Amino acid sequence: MTVRGRNHVTVTGRDGGPVVMLAHGFGCDQNMWRLVVPLLEQDFTVVLFDHVGAGRSDLSAWSRERYSSLEGYTEDVLEICHELALGPVTFVGHSVSAMMGVLAAARKPEAFAGLVLLAPSPCFVDDPATGYRGGFSAEDIDELLESLDANYLGWSGAMAPVIMGNPERPELGEELTNSFCRTDPDIARVFARVTFLSDNREDLAEVTVPTLVAQCSSDAIAPPEVGAFVQARIPGSRLVTLNATGHCPQLAAPEETAAAIADFARAGH
Amino acid sequence: MCPADGGDSGGDRAPGKQPGDDAAFAALLEDSAEDLYEHAPCGYLSTLLDGTIAKINTTLLDWLGHARGDVVGRRTFSDLLTAGGRLYHETHFAPLLRMQGEVSGIALELKAADGSRLPVLVTSTVKTGGDGQPLLIRTTVFDARDRRAYETELLRARREAEREREELKRLNATLQQTLLPPALVSVPGLNVAAHYHIASADKVGGDFYDLFPLTDGTWGLFLGDVCGKGATAAAITSLARYTLRAAAVYDPDPAAVLSNLNTVLNHEYNGTDPRFCTVVFGLLTPDADRDGFRITLASGGHPPALLIRADGSADFLPTPGGQLIGVLPDAHIATTTVRLDPGDTLLLHTDGLTEAHTAQLGDGDRYGDEALLDFVRALGPTTAAHTVAAVRDLLDTFGTGVDDDTAVLAISVPRPPSEEQQ
């Protein structure tokens, strides 16, 4: 299995343009970027991919060993960059993928023209010892795992055709849920733990490439002080607060998000 | 002339109805839309695109124990969720809603004012303006306490079933092991080899074999096949195996051994649930004069053994007329005696091999006795180890075509070293 197949890598946009690589977070897949991609395609080569276990990635490539920490995902990002050989990329990481970008850029800065950390959080769980507030407790994460279980029960077979409104053609529903937010429940549980229990606060200082921290004005998952924390720890980074609300500005405010990415990537570091 | 209001004609009014009924029915239908909204048997709320609650019905406020003024314009839908539910909402629900315009039947938990939790099923649609721009989100909330308890039970049952299936597979594998000798004993002057092919990890098969010492330098061996699969077959296999060994000590004459097994099975499973097996039992006696062995084979309904001679010729060793073991009180058992000289190989097998479906033959045809005979003829002259290895490879080429377990046991008399070098 090639790296391209494993991560269902899609390359679109302007040939030879500066490269923007978009990495989706926990929950969905590269479809998360569907509203942003058309706004970037004119000027940039746009690279999209699914994390192993999500979307249309090769599920057989998933292993508990490799994907029980962000290291495995980070490795994948570097392998995709290497395989495509498009030169230094501007890596846009949403949510948990922002930290994959941080780790990848710390390991191999020459592969990156810059990082855009979209709604990032280096640690979701509060750390009373240092006064850090990530917004969640370990029990909250257990609750999320319960939510995942509760929804996969109804989600897997019966719900998809209902959402599609095509109960007589169940294969359409299958396609839809598979390509959006559906993941194997076992894989989702492991990814949820990796996402919400990782602590990458110490890794932020290792970033040496130009970095833009883009946070939302009201985000139930990554509150403003977390964005400020990230910006303060990454040397020379810049912080913008988007007007977009929620945790997914690429869906809530695609124009504003695309503009922030384009301005940063075009600046030509 | 027709009356304008149909008052006298009775119109299409159902018989027995009084004029007042219609008015009461109409009054019911005129139940105000507002009252329908506020006191619907489900929760309603409308939120702005940023999640701020713009409107919420009384039913939902009552469920949560919140005052309207504390919620409308002040809180987001996300604020009503448990922390875990909020994570799920932000990472799954909200993106899906944005992408699809609606999401239905999502299980979430709401936090009530008193700290209690309310499991709900949530459906949301995005209301768009004339230009297709999203304006607000409409959400219905159903009380799912009973349903959630039921689903939790289902989930628990499914996890348990998965665990037990794994456990069953492990048990089957272990049980299968106990039904076979851990390693074949070594017989002076004889090469032995065996192979057991498991067709399904979920069921214990009913094939068995063994090779063991008897008195005066003689050896007993057997290979058989119990009808059926699973726990019952395993119990019979176990019984057959130990009966054969004990019977051989008591009286090593192969026909007597099988006759005793027949009596045991016939007694044990007599009645509504007859159980039987096919077995071939052999008594090996060293033939000191010729560096070989004499073997007497007794067969109870079992596929005939194959003898591959040192000169490369091969044929079945027929034991015609042998009856299934365990069915009749007095089964007829057929015997035959042959000499095994240096270079000769004897192969015993169960019918999983010859009953295998083969793609090569087309139409899902079975491999068959003739094909097996041709196969061993091509091998000869051979040895026990080579024969078993070849059959193993053959089974591999059949893949899933082998739908029954298969056991093979081969013995061969080595050639003298001088001959081997030729």
Side-chain angles (χ1 to χ4, degrees), chain A residues 146-183:
Chain A
E146 281 171 31
S147 281
L148 287 174
D149 282 344
N151 283 296
Y152 280 118
L153 196 73
W155 191 251
S156 42
M159 288 322 295
V162 179
I163 290 170
M164 275 299 288
N166 270 309
E168 69 282 6
R169 292 186 61 194
E171 74 278 14
L172 284 182
E174 185 67 18
E175 169 65 23
L176 194 79
T177 43
N178 277 341
S179 59
F180 286 167
C181 297
R182 171 101 191 271
T183 29

Side-chain angles (χ1 to χ4, degrees), chain A residues 26-27 32 34 136 140-141 143-144 148-149 151 153 155 159 163 176 180-181 196 221 245 247-248 251-252, chain B residues 50 78 82-88 90-92 95-96 98-100 102 104-107 117 151 155 159:
Chain A
F26 168 74
M32 286 293 281
R34 66 213 311 238
F136 296 92
D140 294 338
I141 308 307
E143 256 179 18
L144 167 70
L148 287 174
D149 282 344
N151 283 296
L153 196 73
W155 191 251
M159 288 322 295
I163 290 170
L176 194 79
F180 286 167
C181 297
F196 295 107
I221 290 198
T245 56
H247 187 58
C248 304
L251 287 170
Chain B
D50 68 0
S78 225
T82 58
R86 197 150 65 236
L87 287 173
Y88 187 79
E90 295 297 323
T91 52
H92 289 73
L96 267 180
R98 288 280 184 177
M99 286 192 264
Q100 298 174 175
E102 72 168 319
S104 61
I106 300 294
R117 279 139 194 261
E151 287 177 349
L155 202 58
R159 288 203 184 122

Side-chain angles (χ1 to χ4, degrees), chain B residues 300-325:
Chain B
H302 197 82
L306 283 146
L307 181 60
I308 308 134
R309 290 294 189 189
D311 64 4
S313 67
D315 222 326
F316 285 110
L317 268 184
T319 39
Q323 291 173 323
L324 288 176
I325 302 295

Side-chain angles (χ1 to χ4, degrees), chain A residues 22-91:
Chain A
L22 306 174
H24 71 85
F26 168 74
C28 291
D29 61 19
Q30 58 184 268
N31 276 291
M32 286 293 281
W33 301 105
R34 66 213 311 238
L35 302 179
V36 163
V37 171
L39 305 172
L40 296 174
E41 275 177 331
Q42 288 233 315
D43 296 332
F44 301 95
T45 296
V46 181
V47 177
L48 295 155
F49 68 98
D50 293 333
H51 291 305
V52 170
R56 290 163 69 188
S57 65
D58 177 18
L59 291 189
S60 69
W62 190 86
S63 75
R64 195 171 290 271
E65 299 69 46
R66 184 172 172 97
Y67 297 103
S68 283
S69 77
L70 285 182
E71 289 302 326
Y73 291 98
T74 303
E75 192 74 32
D76 285 1
V77 168
L78 290 172
E79 284 174 13
I80 294 168
C81 291
H82 180 78
E83 170 93 5
L84 296 181
L86 292 169
V89 304
T90 297
F91 179 91

Side-chain angles (χ1 to χ4, degrees), chain B residues 37-364:
Chain B
Y37 176 83
E38 288 299 340
H39 298 104
C42 65
Y44 280 120
L45 75 164
S46 302
T47 47
L48 305 180
L49 294 177
D50 68 0
T52 308
I53 295 169
K55 202 174 175 193
I56 182 167
N57 76 344
T58 308
T59 305
L60 188 51
L61 285 172
D62 288 350
W63 284 352
L64 297 175
H66 285 308
R68 192 177 304 272
D70 295 337
V71 175
V72 174
R74 288 165 174 260
R75 298 227 203 177
T76 63
F77 178 54
S78 225
D79 292 336
L80 301 181
L81 301 171
T82 58
R86 197 150 65 236
L87 287 173
Y88 187 79
H89 179 267
E90 295 297 323
T91 52
H92 289 73
F93 191 104
L96 267 180
L97 187 58
R98 288 280 184 177
M99 286 192 264
Q100 298 174 175
E102 72 168 319
V103 172
S104 61
I106 300 294
L108 292 170
E109 278 195 358
L110 299 183
K111 236 173 10 190
D114 64 3
S116 65
R117 279 139 194 261
L118 177 70
V120 291
L121 283 176
V122 175
T123 295
S124 291
T125 56
V126 177
K127 178 185 161 62
T128 51
D131 55 356
Q133 276 303 303
L135 297 176
L136 52 84
I137 297 161
R138 288 170 167 164
T139 300
T140 53
V141 179
F142 287 91
D143 182 342
R145 273 173 293 198
D146 290 347
R147 171 172 287 260
R148 194 65 49 79
Y150 172 64
E151 287 177 349
T152 306
E153 183 55 29
L154 278 183
L155 202 58
R156 193 195 59 73
R158 193 184 67 188
R159 288 203 184 122
E160 196 163 309
E162 279 165 5
R163 259 199 311 276
E164 283 177 359
R165 184 160 187 271
E166 285 307 307
E167 181 63 22
L168 179 66
K169 277 188 179 175
R170 260 199 305 279
L171 270 175
N172 279 340
T174 312
L175 181 54
Q176 194 79 67
Q177 295 272 307
T178 66
L179 296 175
L180 299 173
L184 286 171
V185 293
S186 98
V187 179
L190 195 71
N191 291 331
V192 297
H195 175 61
Y196 194 98
H197 177 90
I198 297 173
S200 156
D202 293 330
K203 289 234 169 194
V204 185
D207 290 4
F208 58 93
Y209 62 81
D210 205 353
L211 172 61
F212 53 96
L214 290 165
T215 51
D216 303 327
T218 61
W219 300 79
L221 63 84
F222 58 78
L223 178 138
D225 183 0
V226 164
C227 76
K229 281 185 155 240
T232 321
I236 302 165
T237 304
S238 191
L239 177 65
R241 199 167 118 89
Y242 291 109
T243 302
L244 285 167
R245 290 201 55 156
V249 172
Y250 175 70
D251 179 354
D253 171 59
V257 171
L258 291 194
S259 178
N260 279 320
L261 176 63
N262 183 69
T263 306
V264 168
L265 289 185
N266 191 247
H267 286 179
E268 181 72 19
Y269 295 100
N270 199 7
T272 53
D273 189 23
R275 296 287 166 162
F276 50 88
C277 65
T278 67
V279 198
V280 57
F281 183 94
L283 180 64
L284 269 168
T285 314
D287 190 347
D289 298 344
R290 303 177 59 166
D291 287 332
F293 286 82
R294 205 172 62 238
I295 183 165
T296 300
L297 290 171
S299 172
H302 197 82
L306 283 146
L307 181 60
I308 308 134
R309 290 294 189 189
D311 64 4
S313 67
D315 222 326
F316 285 110
L317 268 184
T319 39
Q323 291 173 323
L324 288 176
I325 302 295
V327 180
L328 302 170
D330 290 302
H332 178 257
I333 291 151
T335 60
T336 184
T337 300
V338 289
R339 309 183 65 87
L340 293 179
D341 292 323
D344 292 347
T345 302
L346 184 77
L347 173 69
L348 305 178
H349 68 281
T350 58
D351 63 7
L353 175 58
T354 46
E355 299 279 294
H357 296 276
T358 56
Q360 294 99 316
L361 298 176
D363 300 329

